[in-house]
Amino acid sequence: MSKLTELSAWQALEDHYYTMQDTHLRDLFAADPTRGEKMSAEGAGLYLDYSKHRVTDETLKLLLALAEEVGVAQKRDAMFAGEKINITEKRAVLHTALRAPRDAVVMVDGKNVVPEVHEVLDRMAAFADEIRSGKWLGHTGQPIKNIVNIGIGGSDLGPVMAYEGLKHYAQRDLTVRFVSNVDGTDLAEKTRDLDPAQTLFIVSSKTFTTQETMTNARSARQWLLGSLKDDAAVARHFVAVSTNAAEVTKFGINTANMFGFWDWVGGRYSMDSAIGLSLMIAVGPDHYRALLAGFHEMDEHFRTAPASRNLPMLLGLLGVWYNNFFGAETVAILPYDQYLAYFSAYLQQLDMESNGKHVTLDNETVDYQTGPVIWGQPGTNGQHAFYQLIHQGTKLIPCDFIGFCQTLNPMAPHHDLLMANVFAQTEALAFGKTLEQVLADGVDPQIAPHRVFGGNRPTSTILADKLTPHILGALIALYEHKVFVQGVIWDINSFDQWGVELGKVLAGKIAPELQSEGEPELKHDSSTNTLIKRYRARRA
Ligand code: G6Q
């Protein structure tokens, strides 16, 4: 048994699970007509309905006791205070400082980092304004009309998600694109209709050594110079976002055109650092600052709200309940807003890279499940695709439904229909349809079992008034902190990502074997050797 599973709160939850495993949401709702109002919490403009979860007051009490016993609040305070909680990289974890107000004080190694954060934000704002107003001219004297962010992982997914999320607020005469894949198709397709003389590349890379990003950046430079034919053009068409000034200079970008951040910002937690420059150019500094204020409001909620009404705490604990006691393997994230098309993909990295870990902070191999598989798509599209399995399949898939009371594109009756689907899905998932109800509908008894919905499928519903920059910030921070709560409970380091290393190292060895002139001596396993040989023999 591990440290976690030996805890009295954990064992109490195990016992409690046996009393709860067959309890149906139908009965829980029937027993308490006020359940739907009672089991809700609010913070930073978000309303969370968690009544359609397979929990009682007792379950919540035990989950909160678990949070207490593992010290979630103390660990949270240590994170906010800049303690080096990322122990394998010996780093503080301070994405919360990126959205701290100007007069806040956040100390790292004896220094208040907030003034530097705002200095970079101010430089970003000045640069964004120059681009947006057409004052920043390209090498041939034309204003910039196209922004291409080159980055990958944490240097791509956040900006692309938030750009799509806030497109409604974007300056529409600017074209903003994101290139991430080392597959040349990505760069080729994203630049094919752009005029180099009007295009700005933002090379976003914390390390400025990432293979995909640097390969794309070099090819982008060639594309630009192929047309503008003057090395001096790079200075007007390339800026960098990085922590690595030396590599930025080596690439040929003047550090005057570099926007920095710090080693205490993890890649997947960096979208509100200078990594968000493309987004700030698109939506403007004021909307960007509103986004940061939303993040900060949720930070404050997480820091100060009582655990029983603390949104990230509740979402985190409910996730642990299903992951570790019901054996649920995945969580579906289902935003009912077209602008949030990339939200699930973003959360996939945030959650799976953070909590996809197998050893504890004390180097013990865990004997319990850690992070779930995160997936999803915006509604209502998913309803016509994979919801069948969630409703009637054999797997338990807790879902987060996210919806807004007001649409940004009023076009009756669309929004009412969209939201009717949110409420209908969570109702159907919770209560299902019994055999008796199916037969009462006059369905042929021969096929009636196929029409039965078991129900008892848990969902959270997160509602906000309107998708604004502020609300998007709060929503992202909600999930950042949910992931944090779960990482603390599972006693893992949510802030490193060693799991991405091995593949990178092996790709570094294989690339020269694909590129070499003569027949290379291959020393891999027989499968890898055969695949490499077949590729070499057949490529054009
Ligand atoms: C995120 C990861 C990873 C990282 C990318 C890009 O937490 O660290 O996704 O963001 O590998 O790294 P660079 O920004 O250094 O290019």
Side-chain angles (χ1 to χ4, degrees):
M1 275 211 323
S2 56
K3 218 166 75 184
L4 175 62
T5 55
E6 271 171 12
L7 294 179
S8 57
W10 187 275
Q11 295 190 357
L13 277 162
E14 262 175 356
D15 292 343
H16 179 65
Y17 166 71
Y18 291 105
T19 69
M20 284 299 292
Q21 59 179 333
D22 297 322
T23 304
H24 203 288
L25 280 167
R26 285 180 204 130
D27 302 320
L28 294 175
F29 272 85
D32 179 2
T34 64
R35 182 180 170 92
E37 289 149 50
K38 272 198 334 215
M39 289 195 163
S40 65
E42 280 189 70
L46 302 178
Y47 175 86
L48 169 68
D49 173 353
Y50 59 93
S51 63
K52 293 191 183 94
H53 279 290
R54 295 167 68 170
V55 295
T56 58
D57 290 343
E58 175 68 8
T59 322
L60 291 166
K61 199 179 92 195
L62 294 174
L63 287 167
L64 290 166
L66 176 66
E68 177 95 31
E69 205 169 347
V70 301
V72 173
Q74 289 81 347
K75 292 265 172 68
R76 171 199 63 200
D77 294 346
M79 173 175 76
F80 276 89
E83 281 180 32
K84 298 200 169 159
I85 61 167
N86 176 356
I87 56 164
T88 60
E89 297 179 314
K90 300 189 176 57
R91 286 178 185 163
V93 174
L94 272 177
H95 41 280
T96 50
L98 297 170
R99 51 262 192 161
R102 231 174 250 281
D103 57 357
V105 175
V106 181
M107 303 299 286
V108 180
D109 295 330
K111 186 175 163 208
N112 179 14
V113 297
V114 177
E116 282 177 61
V117 166
H118 282 271
E119 187 191 310
V120 174
L121 277 173
D122 291 343
R123 282 186 57 226
M124 288 166 65
F127 181 69
D129 281 338
E130 275 201 73
I131 299 283
R132 290 165 61 83
S133 63
K135 280 197 199 124
W136 177 279
L137 300 179
H139 186 63
T140 65
Q142 298 187 54
I144 296 298
K145 289 279 163 217
N146 316 307
I147 313 293
V148 181
N149 184 75
I150 300 180
I152 196 163
S155 300
D156 168 70
L157 285 160
V160 75
M161 175 276 290
Y163 168 67
E164 291 296 331
L166 298 179
K167 212 180 217 168
H168 179 78
Y169 303 89
Q171 184 167 314
R172 298 300 181 118
D173 63 352
L174 288 173
T175 298
V176 184
R177 293 189 181 155
F178 297 84
V179 173
S180 53
N181 199 333
V182 75
D183 181 347
T185 299
D186 200 7
L187 181 67
E189 286 293 337
K190 302 269 173 61
T191 52
R192 65 197 301 272
D193 57 345
L194 302 185
D195 177 356
Q198 299 184 330
T199 301
L200 176 83
F201 290 97
I202 303 176
V203 185
S204 297
S205 175
K206 183 173 166 181
T207 54
F208 230 71
T209 55
T210 303
Q211 184 205 53
E212 292 91 332
T213 300
M214 298 326 295
T215 305
N216 277 322
R218 281 189 289 269
S219 298
R221 185 170 55 188
Q222 265 173 24
W223 175 84
L224 182 92
L225 296 181
S227 165
L228 301 186
K229 308 207 182 304
D230 182 355
D231 281 357
V234 171
R236 304 301 299 171
H237 294 269
F238 274 82
V239 297
V241 176
S242 186
T243 56
N244 190 343
E247 285 297 324
V248 168
T249 310
K250 229 195 263 173
F251 182 84
I253 298 176
N254 188 331
T255 46
N257 295 333
M258 166 178 158
F259 299 86
F261 57 116
W262 306 270
D263 75 351
W264 39 263
V265 183
R268 56 193 172 276
Y269 296 88
S270 69
M271 61 154 290
D272 47 351
S273 70
I275 290 291
L277 182 61
S278 51
L279 173 66
M280 190 197 268
I281 295 172
V283 301
D286 290 346
H287 287 314
Y288 194 83
R289 287 186 195 281
L291 174 87
L292 296 184
F295 269 102
H296 181 65
E297 197 181 339
M298 181 54 75
D299 292 344
E300 286 302 285
H301 169 85
F302 180 46
R303 217 171 53 74
T304 60
S308 60
R309 282 184 278 126
N310 192 306
L311 269 55
M313 190 76 103
L314 288 168
L315 275 191
L317 291 172
L318 290 165
V320 168
W321 179 230
Y322 298 113
N323 189 68
N324 295 97
F325 298 94
F326 282 80
E329 298 268 333
T330 81
V331 173
I333 307 288
L334 309 166
Y336 277 65
D337 192 299
Q338 189 62 29
Y339 286 122
L340 294 183
Y342 290 81
F343 195 60
S344 319
Y346 170 76
L347 290 190
Q348 223 161 29
Q349 181 193 24
L350 178 69
D351 204 319
M352 292 168 76
E353 208 166 59
S354 295
N355 286 344
K357 307 289 162 65
H358 74 297
V359 285
T360 66
L361 296 176
D362 296 330
N363 300 327
E364 299 288 337
T365 301
V366 297
D367 59 359
Y368 45 84
Q369 289 288 312
T370 60
V373 175
I374 302 290
W375 60 286
Q377 259 196 40
T380 57
N381 298 14
Q383 290 173 207
H384 298 265
F386 54 80
Y387 279 38
Q388 164 66 37
L389 187 146
I390 305 180
H391 280 286
Q392 286 190 311
T394 53
K395 295 177 173 55
L396 180 71
I397 302 178
C399 305
D400 288 359
F401 284 77
I402 302 168
F404 299 92
C405 299
Q406 297 159 35
T407 175
L408 294 169
N409 293 296
M411 205 188 289
H414 288 259
H415 198 63
D416 288 344
L417 294 182
L418 178 71
M419 293 308 291
N421 277 284
V422 174
F423 306 136
Q425 288 298 325
T426 64
E427 191 178 12
L429 286 164
F431 302 102
K433 193 165 185 183
T434 62
L435 184 61
E436 294 70 41
Q437 289 169 321
V438 171
L439 291 171
D441 281 351
V443 170
D444 175 358
Q446 287 295 327
I447 63 146
H450 296 269
R451 307 280 295 264
V452 169
F453 288 67
N456 218 12
R457 314 213 166 198
T459 58
S460 293
T461 304
I462 298 169
L463 280 186
D465 286 350
K466 189 161 132 184
L467 179 55
T468 60
H470 192 100
I471 282 296
L472 183 63
L475 195 57
I476 299 167
L478 166 65
Y479 280 97
E480 285 179 346
H481 298 319
K482 177 210 104 163
V483 167
F484 175 83
V485 168
Q486 297 186 334
V488 172
I489 289 174
W490 295 323
D491 193 24
I492 53 181
N493 183 359
S494 302
F495 301 103
D496 60 11
Q497 56 283 313
W498 300 107
V500 298
E501 290 303 316
L502 181 59
K504 272 195 208 169
V505 171
L506 293 181
K509 279 193 191 144
I510 292 175
E513 292 169 351
L514 302 185
Q515 289 161 340
S516 75
E517 288 292 326
E519 202 58 46
E521 190 195 348
L522 299 175
K523 291 189 175 154
H524 305 275
D525 58 277
S526 60
S527 159
T528 311
N529 287 345
T530 308
L531 292 167
I532 292 174
K533 279 188 206 141
R534 187 172 173 91
Y535 171 75
R536 282 184 58 101
R538 286 170 176 251
R539 71 176 158 195

